[in-house]
Amino acid sequence: MIVLHCRPPEGVPAAEVEWLKNEEPIDSEQDENIDTRADHNLIIRQARLSDSGNYTCMAANIVAKRRSLSATVVVYVNGGWSSWTEWSACNVRCGRGWQKRSRTCTNPAPLNGGAFCEGMSVQKITCTSLCPVDGSWEVWSEWSVCSPECEHLRIRECTAPPPRNGGKFCEGLSQESENCTDGLCILDKKPLHEIKPQSIENASDIALYSGLGAAVVAVAVLVIGVTLYRRSQSDYGVDVIDSSALTGGFQTFNFKTVRQGNSLLLNSAMQPDLTVSRTYSGPICLQDPLDKELMTESSLFNPLSDIKVKVQSSFMVSLGVSERAEYHGKNHSRTFPHGNNHSFSTMHPRNKTPYIQNLSSLPTRTELRTTGVFGHLGGRLVMPNTGVSLLIPHGAIPEENSWEIYMSINQGEPSLQSDGSEVLLSPEVTCGPPDMIVTTPFALTIPHCADVSSEHWNIHLKKRTQQGKWEEVMSVEDESTSCYCLLDPFACHVLLDSFGTYALTGEPITDCAVKQLKVAVFGCMSCNSLDYNLRVYCVDNTPCAFQEVVSDERHQGGQLLEEPKLLHFKGNTFSLQISVLDIPPFLWRIKPFTACQEVPFSRVWCSNRQPLHCAFSLERYTPTTTQLSCKICIRQLKGHEQILQVQTSILESERETITFFAQEDSTFPAQTGPKAFKIPYSIRQRICATFDTPNAKGKDWQMLAQKNSINRNLSYFATQSSPSAVILNLWEARHQHDGDLDSLACALEEIGRTHTKLSNISESQLDEADFNYSRQNGL
């Protein structure tokens, strides 16, 4: 009910009172919802949208008229959810996928500044579609008894397995028949029982003698073969199953038990046990075949009791890395080093460079850290060259208070242990102090390596509790009023109200889920003046992961030889191949077994634990060769491929330097006050005052969000005291590297009413610096 009071002035004769709505008289007799009879008051029994307007009380007698000030009545409508739509079909035809349903805030839609609907507009659940199974034949049955027609039958059924879920039926015949007397059932058009017995006996004798003759020949051939085999083996004095061990072929070889006292064996005291099949994850170093010593030296062919190295071809080495690879066997002198922290290791006492390098990691720091002191004016804290930043909005910290805020990145072993198929997509970022309370959400930017161009990931934001456990904060696709996630192609911008340790994880929904890897090649001279080492890295495409590689290479004297490139690595379980191509002949040669190396899928897919790299060793023919040119091919089997073109000088003075990082991130890690923000504070206040005010046309903060590509989880902003301010904070976080305000100016220009309320700002209403800055940037 709405009651508007009217107190007309006293007069003689008494004044008559009349109510006007939008300057039109109100007739209470025509509208039963309105009553003007009670002591000159206007009573609207039940508010309706049509009752919005400007109401005026007018008193008049024969002498004069008096008008009251107008009272504006606005009837607003809170939004209401429509019914849920039907669940969509599963997005995959076969296997695990997802389906979703949605609803809209149109029942009714919010009007005149009414509240937006609370809750989620989209729900998503996982689904499983049964895969079609094609049918397959069982084995044939036994032949049946020979029939009077001299035929027997056999059958088979399509039940191994039977076709299911729309699968194809077995192809071919289910029944087969053939003559069961080898064509002797009918002879000369006479039945078999009419043939003379002697003819039958003659035929049987011929078959018997033929069989005996064939058996004698077979036995003779076998005896001759065994005799020749023993004579050939006695010449060598050792039983070698695979002759490729002597001819130089690179195939899998096995040894029999050694004869006692045989001088040709390399280590006659040890009987190798090749029945054990374990995987060794440490460096594997074999003797350089170019050395002038004999290839039969014990350090090369000494049997290893607890390792199998499978060489697929003369130019490809496959190193299997298990989930929990350990080496339990006895360590032999100069064969296996005790640690995995060295990039280069050797087994020969003269320190020759090994020609098979291990896929190992380099020693790393455990944490990157930066700090800054912030007060009421807010600011920005940036971790140089990592893509990680923290935006403290103006007013988030109470006046007369200041806090020392820190931010760090874990570079050691991740504390977040992946569950099942879940993959860590970002660094673990910590910001604090944890007991600090902010009045406005702050913006945390975390880089990630997922390809979010298609819906093949289910990405989650997780936070570590004080007990060290990780809990899910929200899914990026879900709606929440506690925090907000905006996923860009290379970073995720998160609005939070509490400090702590955060990370992004992803669960691939299909095999088409893609991780973006950064591939780069570094080079440096070896301790041997003729050798040059190439190290190819495949790391997650996050700046902090690559910075760790750069830092390690600087300690080793490595030089970046080519601009890093992106490799799209699919979650299809296929491995990664890295090979060196087009090496100049007569100038360089590559050590054997290292032209191509293969990395298992699991090692690449979960490579965020350690920087993954493969090492190649090249040798110059003469010291006068100073230029190196070759190609390095990095490809996933049945996937993406990248080519790195190496064109460099191995001399330090002639080498061209390639910049690791852009420079704008390297300076001023902490910026405080107005200089940390791109939008001047006075302009910001004007924008918030304009868009936070409800508008019947709907061109308010929701329109501002949509024009800035914020189309999801708008209910989060509705819970804030100033939704426009939070939207501008998110814009600041997304555009920290942009040079101007073009994107925001375009968004404001597209909203028609900005010309009526924002364009009238005069120079006297703003600081001169703010006015000039805004004019130069088109704002």
Side-chain angles (χ1 to χ4, degrees):
M1 178 181 291
I2 302 173
V3 179
L4 299 178
H5 300 280
C6 181
R7 295 291 181 267
E10 296 180 357
V12 178
E16 295 182 359
V17 175
E18 184 180 25
W19 281 92
L20 304 179
K21 175 184 177 184
N22 298 333
E23 301 302 325
E24 295 291 335
I26 297 176
D27 188 356
S28 60
E29 294 181 357
Q30 294 182 359
D31 192 346
E32 297 180 352
N33 195 43
I34 297 178
D35 186 3
T36 59
R37 296 171 298 177
D39 196 18
H40 307 303
N41 297 330
L42 175 65
I43 300 175
I44 301 177
R45 293 186 176 91
Q46 186 172 4
R48 302 163 297 186
L49 283 175
S50 60
D51 293 325
S52 299
N54 297 319
Y55 289 85
T56 307
C57 175
M58 186 173 68
N61 62 10
I62 60 175
V63 178
K65 292 182 179 180
R66 297 286 178 86
R67 291 170 58 97
S68 68
L69 297 175
S70 294
T72 301
V73 174
V74 178
V75 180
Y76 65 88
V77 178
N78 291 330
W81 288 114
S82 65
S83 300
W84 288 103
T85 61
E86 296 294 331
W87 288 104
S88 65
C90 200
N91 69 321
V92 294
R93 180 175 174 268
C94 172
R96 186 166 178 260
W98 53 265
Q99 56 185 155
K100 63 180 180 180
R101 64 176 183 175
S102 61
R103 57 180 179 176
T104 58
C105 187
T106 57
N107 187 31
L111 292 175
N112 299 337
F116 195 79
C117 303
E118 295 184 358
M120 297 184 297
S121 63
V122 178
Q123 283 186 342
K124 185 182 291 186
I125 60 174
T126 58
C127 58
T128 302
S129 300
L130 296 177
C131 299
V133 178
D134 294 339
S136 181
W137 291 113
E138 285 278 6
V139 297
W140 286 102
S141 65
E142 297 292 334
W143 288 103
S144 65
V145 179
C146 199
S147 67
E149 290 79 16
C150 301
E151 287 186 345
H152 56 182
L153 304 174
R154 65 175 180 176
I155 60 173
R156 59 178 176 175
E157 296 181 350
C158 185
T159 57
R164 296 194 304 270
N165 306 327
K168 297 180 181 179
F169 196 79
C170 304
E171 296 182 357
L173 300 176
S174 61
Q175 180 175 307
E176 195 176 61
S177 63
E178 67 176 20
N179 191 288
C180 52
T181 59
D182 294 331
L184 300 178
C185 187
I186 300 297
L187 182 62
D188 295 332
K189 298 182 181 180
K190 295 181 180 180
L192 187 62
H193 63 272
E194 295 182 3
I195 300 176
K196 294 182 179 180
Q198 183 162 352
S199 299
I200 298 176
E201 291 178 2
N202 294 337
S204 300
D205 292 342
I206 293 174
L208 177 61
Y209 295 145
S210 299
L212 290 175
V216 171
V217 172
V219 171
V221 170
L222 180 61
V223 170
I224 295 173
V226 171
T227 303
L228 293 177
Y229 175 80
R230 289 185 175 178
R231 288 183 179 180
S232 63
Q233 297 302 313
S234 63
D235 293 339
Y236 291 104
V238 57
D239 294 335
V240 181
I241 294 178
D242 190 352
S243 62
S244 64
L246 297 177
T247 60
F250 302 107
Q251 305 294 331
T252 303
F253 52 86
N254 299 313
F255 289 93
K256 284 187 176 180
T257 304
V258 181
R259 290 197 184 120
Q260 187 67 27
N262 194 330
S263 60
L264 293 179
L265 283 181
L266 307 177
N267 190 343
S268 59
M270 179 182 295
Q271 295 183 0
D273 179 12
L274 297 182
T275 61
V276 181
S277 180
R278 297 178 183 169
T279 307
Y280 176 62
S281 63
I284 300 175
C285 304
L286 300 182
Q287 173 66 27
D288 187 348
L290 301 177
D291 195 82
K292 295 182 180 180
E293 295 186 9
L294 291 176
M295 290 293 289
T296 57
E297 191 177 34
S298 62
S299 61
L300 177 61
F301 276 59
N302 193 15
L304 307 178
S305 61
D306 205 19
I307 184 170
K308 285 187 176 180
V309 180
K310 180 181 179 181
V311 183
Q312 296 176 332
S313 70
S314 60
F315 291 103
M316 180 178 293
V317 178
S318 175
L319 300 179
V321 181
S322 65
E323 295 299 326
R324 297 182 61 187
E326 296 179 10
Y327 177 58
H328 300 287
K330 179 180 179 182
N331 275 333
H332 303 288
S333 176
R334 294 183 299 276
T335 303
F336 294 98
H338 294 285
N340 289 343
N341 291 331
H342 300 284
S343 298
F344 304 99
S345 54
T346 180
M347 59 179 278
H348 197 274
R350 293 184 298 156
N351 293 327
K352 288 284 186 178
T353 304
Y355 61 89
I356 294 185
Q357 297 292 346
N358 177 43
L359 310 176
S360 63
S361 65
L362 302 167
T364 60
R365 296 179 301 276
T366 59
E367 187 179 72
L368 284 175
R369 186 181 178 92
T370 186
T371 61
V373 178
F374 298 89
H376 181 69
L377 297 180
R380 192 190 303 267
L381 188 62
V382 178
M383 188 80 72
N385 299 327
T386 63
V388 178
S389 63
L390 182 67
L391 182 76
I392 307 296
H394 181 100
I397 300 176
E399 292 189 42
E400 301 180 357
N401 284 357
S402 63
W403 287 83
E404 182 181 9
I405 298 177
Y406 63 86
M407 188 167 59
S408 64
I409 300 176
N410 178 22
Q411 286 195 305
E413 186 75 10
S415 60
L416 197 160
Q417 301 298 327
S418 301
D419 297 331
S421 60
E422 199 173 43
V423 181
L424 185 61
L425 298 177
S426 75
E428 297 176 2
V429 179
T430 301
C431 52
D435 56 345
M436 177 179 169
I437 299 176
V438 293
T439 58
T440 303
F442 61 89
L444 178 63
T445 299
I446 305 176
H448 66 81
C449 61
D451 185 358
V452 295
S453 58
S454 55
E455 297 182 351
H456 299 296
W457 285 100
N458 191 7
I459 298 178
H460 307 273
L461 175 68
K462 292 195 173 184
K463 180 181 181 181
R464 188 172 64 189
T465 63
Q466 294 181 351
Q467 292 76 24
K469 297 182 179 179
W470 286 86
E471 295 180 349
E472 180 176 334
V473 178
M474 68 174 296
S475 175
V476 173
E477 295 295 328
D478 292 343
E479 302 208 3
S480 171
T481 57
S482 60
C483 66
Y484 186 89
C485 287
L486 181 62
L487 199 63
D488 280 346
F490 298 103
C492 182
H493 311 281
V494 189
L495 295 175
L496 301 163
D497 54 11
S498 62
F499 290 93
T501 302
Y502 295 91
L504 290 174
T505 63
E507 183 181 1
I509 300 176
T510 67
D511 288 347
C512 296
V514 171
K515 274 184 65 176
Q516 294 181 343
L517 302 180
K518 179 170 290 187
V519 294
V521 55
F522 289 80
C524 69
M525 292 294 295
S526 174
C527 55
N528 185 344
S529 60
L530 293 180
D531 289 352
Y532 191 76
N533 296 318
L534 296 177
R535 291 187 289 277
V536 182
Y537 288 86
C538 299
V539 298
D540 292 346
N541 183 34
T542 57
C544 50
F546 187 60
Q547 187 188 34
E548 184 178 353
V549 171
V550 169
S551 176
D552 292 331
E553 282 295 327
R554 280 174 177 163
H555 291 321
Q556 296 187 98
Q559 178 75 23
L560 183 64
L561 303 181
E562 171 68 353
E563 289 286 348
K565 293 185 179 181
L566 280 185
L567 180 74
H568 299 284
F569 191 79
K570 288 186 178 182
N572 56 8
T573 70
F574 287 100
S575 58
L576 185 73
Q577 272 189 3
I578 304 175
S579 54
V580 181
L581 308 173
D582 297 346
I583 300 174
F586 310 114
L587 297 177
W588 293 87
R589 60 185 173 189
I590 191 169
K591 299 298 180 70
F593 302 107
T594 60
C596 182
Q597 299 186 28
E598 187 168 339
V599 187
F601 168 82
S602 59
R603 182 75 189 277
V604 183
W605 192 247
C606 302
S607 62
N608 46 29
R609 299 183 180 277
Q610 296 176 347
L612 173 66
H613 84 276
C614 293
F616 300 88
S617 183
L618 280 68
E619 184 178 14
R620 295 179 289 173
Y621 281 94
T622 63
T624 58
T625 302
T626 60
Q627 298 294 323
L628 171 63
S629 64
C630 64
K631 292 181 181 179
I632 296 179
C633 176
I634 303 101
R635 62 182 291 265
Q636 183 185 18
L637 301 180
K638 298 187 178 181
H640 190 214
E641 177 182 86
Q642 278 289 12
I643 300 292
L644 296 177
Q645 181 70 52
V646 176
Q647 186 79 35
T648 185
S649 171
I650 64 175
L651 299 181
E652 196 76 28
S653 58
E654 300 178 2
R655 186 179 301 149
E656 181 182 354
T657 302
I658 299 177
T659 305
F660 292 136
F661 297 102
Q663 295 300 319
E664 69 267 6
D665 229 13
S666 303
T667 57
F668 308 115
Q671 293 181 326
T672 59
K675 63 182 179 181
F677 303 95
K678 294 187 174 295
I679 307 174
Y681 182 62
S682 54
I683 293 288
R684 180 190 182 92
Q685 284 183 311
R686 190 72 174 182
I687 294 175
C688 293
T690 302
F691 288 100
D692 285 341
T693 304
N695 186 341
K697 296 182 181 180
K699 294 180 179 179
D700 51 8
W701 63 265
Q702 299 180 28
M703 183 71 72
L704 179 64
Q706 293 172 0
K707 293 299 181 183
N708 284 281
S709 303
I710 303 174
N711 303 313
R712 186 184 50 78
N713 196 12
L714 295 183
S715 57
Y716 171 81
F717 300 97
T719 61
Q720 305 298 320
S721 58
S722 176
S724 301
V726 180
I727 293 172
L728 294 180
N729 292 339
L730 196 56
W731 184 93
E732 290 272 6
R734 295 180 73 182
H735 297 84
Q736 61 175 314
H737 295 302
D738 293 351
D740 51 38
L741 300 172
D742 284 348
S743 62
L744 181 60
C746 292
L748 295 177
E749 188 175 359
E750 290 180 13
I751 304 175
R753 69 179 187 147
T754 58
H755 291 289
T756 63
K757 290 196 175 183
L758 287 179
S759 60
N760 294 328
I761 300 177
S762 64
E763 189 168 359
S764 60
Q765 293 176 277
L766 299 175
D767 295 339
E768 183 178 357
D770 288 353
F771 183 83
N772 293 332
Y773 176 84
S774 304
R775 183 169 55 186
Q776 292 171 2
N777 288 278
L779 190 59

